[in-house]
Amino acid sequence: MRVVLAEDQGMVRGALSVLLGIEPDIEVVASASDGEEAFRAVGKHRPDVLVTDIEMPRLTGLELAVKVRELYPETRVLMLTTFARPGYLRRALEAGAHGYLLKDRPSTELADAVRRISRGQRVVDSDLAAEAWGAEADPLSDREREILRRAGEGESTAEVARGLRLSEGTVRNYLSEAISKMGAHNRIEAARLARTKGWL
Amino acid sequence: MRVVLAEDQGMVRGALSVLLGIEPDIEVVASASDGEEAFRAVGKHRPDVLVTDIEMPRLTGLELAVKVRELYPETRVLMLTTFARPGYLRRALEAGAHGYLLKDRPSTELADAVRRISRGQRVVDSDLAAEAWGAEADPLSDREREILRRAGEGESTAEVARGLRLSEGTVRNYLSEAISKMGAHNRIEAARLARTKGWL
DNA sequence: GTGTCATCATGACAAGTGTCATACTTGCTG
DNA sequence: CAGCAAGTATGACACTTGTCATGATGACAC
């Protein structure tokens, strides 16, 4: 079974590679430290499974999953991430991931998950799946999300407006809408809430 | 060489354990998922080296290092962490750590770092050390730090004032001072900057 | 093709935020 | 003891942010 591994932290990448490599039926044919590199590696090696982190430089795991599904649908994707956020799980599955495994889980589950996925089964953390089922859907529009994200990083209304070529008034309108949708009292709280739900 | 490993994410803990275990001269005698458990494991096994994460439940790596230095000074401590924050490095060394290694580094460096530390050498990421050396000390007073922390979580001026029994004007004064010290343009940016430096 | 929704805009007002000058108290420290 | 830093407070001002009403446009779905 041939695997490509994408994970930005060198130490973790190396360790996971060894962990998978000791399984007799699994071979790690390439590992990548960012999404772009991972995409090229998938194109070159056409692996059975891509194991990828979500938060990576240049191309996130979610964006990577979309591109892989489009160009190399025979490669199945396993998201391996720190974040137990229902919104992430939902987006991962929408992006075409076949599995979603938390880094919290025992390391013994990884090889097993890879095997199940390569057989065409879905692998989803059961606690998280239950939570995601009851969880509200992301109410934010793309624009609202992008603007809230920038504001949450400390950009002022004027900076966001310049960055997106919008008028300041428009930016304030979107933020007002986002704050109200999140049930928050200001942009900071709204961004923080959205982050914990996995919507940013 | 006997090692205890403390790391809260199961997947990473298992993988690092395998990574270290394949070295012929290194034996992982115990691994722990939180600080308390790690402390008990050190007491029981008296390892040459404790490899520990910083951000862990119940007892952080920094607190753990202090306790280990007091009770089991023959065990040397290697901090293994995600965060390249000068403030963290400084605090880790003050807490008695003998090394500070980033999870960003290649996995090949881990075994090497463990060996050097067990020989009594210090291991500090050189980029980070340089940065920490040139880095300013935290300019924030306790009050400023506390107020900036709360504001950064989304509390409004009024909420912070209520929470700390201060007048709103005073809170605004502290925030103004903190923003200016951080060279930021607003409270959000100031909090974000302070966080990346390890001051919050 | 008629609604519905996302996007973008303006203007006006209210509320919140950031800055500055000024001043009093308290606890160190030389 | 004098000086200094930290903490606290007020008032005033400018600027930013949040809210609301209103309207134009284009895309998509039924």
Side-chain angles (χ1 to χ4, degrees):
Chain A
M1 210 168 323
R2 299 167 63 256
V3 173
V4 165
L5 176 64
E7 157 67 53
D8 62 334
Q9 292 192 76
M11 196 71 61
V12 178
R13 183 171 65 251
L16 289 174
S17 180
V18 170
L19 184 68
L20 282 171
I22 55 175
E23 303 288 328
D25 57 336
I26 296 179
E27 183 192 0
V28 179
V29 295
S31 61
S33 62
D34 68 60
E36 296 271 7
E37 204 185 319
F39 183 65
R40 284 196 302 275
V42 169
K44 183 169 169 200
H45 298 284
R46 306 299 182 89
D48 300 294
V49 179
L50 166 65
V51 176
T52 179
D53 197 0
I54 290 193
E55 306 210 326
M56 283 187 301
R58 313 219 291 160
L59 205 66
T60 70
L62 297 172
E63 293 161 338
L64 176 58
V66 171
K67 292 185 69 175
V68 167
R69 175 174 54 179
E70 279 169 12
L71 270 103
Y72 314 110
E74 69 283 7
T75 291
R76 298 180 203 275
V77 178
L78 172 61
M79 289 285 166
L80 178 63
T81 174
T82 303
F83 304 100
R85 295 176 185 167
Y88 268 20
L89 170 57
R90 189 180 288 244
R91 275 154 72 196
L93 296 181
E94 280 164 11
H98 302 79
Y100 192 97
L101 192 60
L102 294 177
K103 284 186 184 166
D104 270 345
R105 312 293 307 175
S107 58
T108 48
E109 291 184 17
L110 179 58
D112 210 46
V114 168
R115 285 191 200 98
R116 293 162 83 126
I117 283 198
S118 81
R119 272 191 252 116
Q121 293 180 257
R122 284 199 172 274
V123 175
V124 174
D125 183 276
S126 56
D127 292 355
L128 189 57
E131 204 190 327
W133 205 235
E136 339 91 289
D138 180 354
L140 301 173
S141 74
D142 289 348
R143 241 352 183 194
E144 287 161 357
R145 195 168 17 253
E146 170 68 4
I147 287 174
L148 186 56
R149 196 188 57 71
R150 284 171 178 254
E153 315 244 334
E155 287 188 27
S156 68
T157 307
E159 285 166 334
V160 174
R162 261 199 307 282
L164 298 177
R165 316 285 170 85
L166 293 175
S167 80
E168 291 195 29
T170 301
V171 172
R172 287 216 299 276
N173 285 155
Y174 280 124
L175 276 171
S176 180
E177 192 54 27
I179 290 166
S180 132
K181 281 181 178 174
M182 299 302 304
H185 298 95
N186 56 54
R187 52 180 70 193
I188 313 178
E189 196 187 352
R192 212 178 49 79
L193 284 172
R195 249 190 287 274
T196 65
K197 303 223 182 195
W199 295 341
L200 285 196
Chain B
M1 210 167 320
R2 301 169 60 256
V3 173
V4 166
L5 178 63
E7 156 68 53
D8 63 332
Q9 291 191 81
M11 195 70 63
V12 178
R13 184 171 64 251
L16 289 175
S17 179
V18 170
L19 184 68
L20 282 171
I22 55 175
E23 302 288 329
D25 57 336
I26 296 180
E27 184 193 359
V28 178
V29 294
S31 62
S33 63
D34 68 60
E36 298 271 7
E37 202 185 321
F39 183 65
R40 285 197 301 275
V42 169
K44 183 168 169 202
H45 297 285
R46 306 299 181 88
D48 301 294
V49 179
L50 165 66
V51 176
T52 179
D53 197 0
I54 290 193
E55 306 210 327
M56 283 187 301
R58 312 215 297 156
L59 204 65
T60 70
L62 297 172
E63 293 161 338
L64 177 58
V66 170
K67 291 185 69 173
V68 167
R69 176 174 54 178
E70 278 169 12
L71 270 104
Y72 314 110
E74 69 283 7
T75 292
R76 298 179 204 274
V77 179
L78 172 60
M79 291 284 165
L80 178 63
T81 174
T82 303
F83 304 102
R85 296 176 184 167
Y88 268 21
L89 171 56
R90 187 181 291 243
R91 276 152 68 194
L93 296 182
E94 279 164 12
H98 301 79
Y100 192 98
L101 192 60
L102 295 176
K103 284 186 184 168
D104 270 345
R105 312 294 306 176
S107 58
T108 48
E109 291 184 17
L110 180 57
D112 211 44
V114 168
R115 285 191 200 98
R116 292 161 83 124
I117 283 200
S118 81
R119 273 191 252 117
Q121 292 179 257
R122 284 196 174 275
V123 175
V124 173
D125 184 276
S126 56
D127 292 356
L128 188 57
E131 205 190 326
W133 204 237
E136 340 86 292
D138 180 354
L140 301 172
S141 73
D142 289 349
R143 240 354 182 194
E144 286 161 358
R145 197 172 11 259
E146 170 67 4
I147 288 174
L148 186 56
R149 197 188 57 72
R150 284 169 178 254
E153 314 245 333
E155 288 188 26
S156 68
T157 306
E159 285 167 332
V160 174
R162 262 200 306 283
L164 298 178
R165 317 280 169 83
L166 293 176
S167 81
E168 291 196 28
T170 300
V171 172
R172 288 217 300 276
N173 285 156
Y174 280 123
L175 276 171
S176 179
E177 193 54 27
I179 290 165
S180 132
K181 281 182 178 175
M182 300 302 305
H185 297 95
N186 56 54
R187 51 179 70 193
I188 313 177
E189 198 187 351
R192 212 176 50 79
L193 284 172
R195 250 190 287 273
T196 65
K197 304 225 183 195
W199 295 340
L200 287 196

